[in-house]
Amino acid sequence: MHNEDKNLLVILSSPSGVGKTTLTKKIQQKYSSFKISVSHTTRTPRSNEVEGVDYFFISAERFKEFIKESRFYEYAKIFENYYGTLKKNVDEMLKNNDLIFDIDWQGTKQLSKFKNLNLIKIYLITDNKEELKKRLVKRDQNSPEEIEKRFNAFEEDIKHWSDYDYVLINKNLDVCFKQIENIILLHKKKKIHLLS
Ligand code: 5GP
C-alpha cells in the first residue's frame, strides 16, 4: 500500500504558548475523521487536565519499562519529564481515523524515520516573543519557574523549524487555523485523487 492511501498523521509542534493545543482541538472539533493522539507522560497533571484525555499520566519507572519494551513510536525528555507516543494506540486509531500529534521536535525526528507513516509536519511560531510570555502567564498552568524555563527554551526549539514540511506564523488564531485546514485539505485531496 502507498503512503498516500493511508490516513494522515498531522504533527503540530511549537514552542510553549504559541497556541498549538487550541488549534489541535479546533481541528478535531471541525473534522470528525481526526482524533488527537494522547501521549503518555511522567509530568504531574495540571488542575484542569483529565487522565486519558490530555495525557496518560504514568510513573517514571513505568515509562522506562515501556522504553525497554520498545513500545513507543517516539519519546523525549522535555523540561525534566518524559513524554511519548505508544505504537499500539497510534496503530489502533489510524485504522479508522486521521491523527493529530502535539509533540516536540525530538519526537517529530523519530516519527519521520517510519517511512510507512503518512506524515504532515507543521511547525508553528510567533513573531512576537513578548506576546508569548504574556500567553504563558495568562494561561496560568505553570509555576513562575516553569514559565521561565518554557520561555527560555524558545530559541533552542525554533532551531528545528527546518525539519518540518510547513512553518506557520500564528499572528491570528483564525488565520492560522485556515492555513492548517488548507494544508490538510490539500493532502486529503491528493489522497482522494490517487484512490480514484
Ligand atoms: P506540556 O507539559 O506543556 O503539556 O508539554 C510540553 C511539551 O511536550 C510540548 O511541546 C508538547 O508538544 C510536548 N509533548 C507532548 N506529548 C509529547 C509526546 O508524546 N512526545 C513528544 N516528543 N513530545 C510531546
Side-chain angles (χ1 to χ4, degrees):
M1 188 156 51
H2 296 295
N3 278 356
E4 291 80 359
D5 302 338
K6 297 181 179 172
N7 286 329
L8 295 177
L9 290 87
V10 177
I11 297 180
L12 279 189
S13 298
S14 74
S16 284
V18 175
K20 180 179 42 173
T21 311
T22 313
L23 286 163
T24 307
K25 289 188 176 150
K26 262 171 95 84
I27 298 167
Q28 200 216 353
Q29 279 157 10
K30 181 150 180 194
Y31 295 95
S32 58
S33 74
F34 273 94
K35 297 275 177 264
I36 298 175
S37 163
V38 181
S39 301
H40 281 68
T41 184
T42 60
R43 171 165 76 58
T44 317
R46 296 174 185 138
S47 57
N48 59 340
E49 287 179 324
V50 178
E51 165 76 19
V53 176
D54 297 287
Y55 284 105
F56 294 104
F57 297 96
I58 60 169
S59 66
E61 290 70 37
R62 186 109 192 273
F63 201 100
K64 284 176 187 160
E65 272 170 33
F66 284 180
I67 296 175
K68 262 199 216 147
E69 293 162 4
S70 302
R71 289 172 66 176
F72 289 114
Y73 262 123
E74 62 76 32
Y75 68 90
K77 195 173 184 190
I78 309 163
F79 309 126
E80 309 306 318
N81 289 301
Y82 285 99
Y83 297 81
T85 308
L86 275 195
K87 285 180 187 162
K88 187 167 158 262
N89 295 4
V90 170
D91 292 343
E92 200 52 47
M93 285 200 290
L94 256 189
K95 284 182 193 158
N96 299 310
N97 298 283
D98 298 303
L99 282 183
I100 320 172
F101 293 80
D102 170 348
I103 63 172
D104 82 329
W105 60 270
Q106 304 175 75
T108 304
K109 259 198 158 71
Q110 293 167 48
L111 269 185
S112 301
K113 293 189 186 136
F114 293 90
K115 299 295 175 205
N116 56 326
L117 299 176
N118 198 8
L119 281 184
I120 307 175
K121 299 177 279 185
I122 304 175
Y123 192 77
L124 294 175
I125 52 170
T126 174
D127 63 343
N128 186 337
K129 254 183 99 177
E130 282 317 305
E131 184 58 33
L132 184 90
K133 189 149 200 178
K134 275 192 218 145
R135 276 195 219 155
L136 282 172
V137 172
K138 200 170 129 204
R139 73 180 188 182
D140 198 24
Q141 290 168 351
N142 299 104
S143 66
E145 297 77 40
E146 280 172 333
I147 289 173
E148 208 49 39
K149 240 193 262 174
R150 278 154 204 269
F151 184 65
N152 291 337
F154 181 88
E155 303 294 345
E156 178 56 35
D157 203 285
I158 60 167
K159 281 185 195 157
H160 302 279
W161 65 268
S162 59
D163 292 337
Y164 289 77
D165 303 316
Y166 300 91
V167 178
L168 305 178
I169 300 171
N170 186 10
K171 272 192 188 177
N172 171 301
L173 202 75
D174 292 331
V175 173
C176 195
F177 178 61
K178 195 81 215 143
Q179 289 172 327
I180 295 173
E181 273 191 297
N182 286 342
I183 293 169
I184 289 171
L185 293 173
L186 175 78
H187 286 263
K188 280 273 178 207
K189 238 193 234 153
K190 265 199 216 159
K191 192 173 120 183
I192 293 163
H193 176 70
L194 282 158
L195 286 174
S196 60

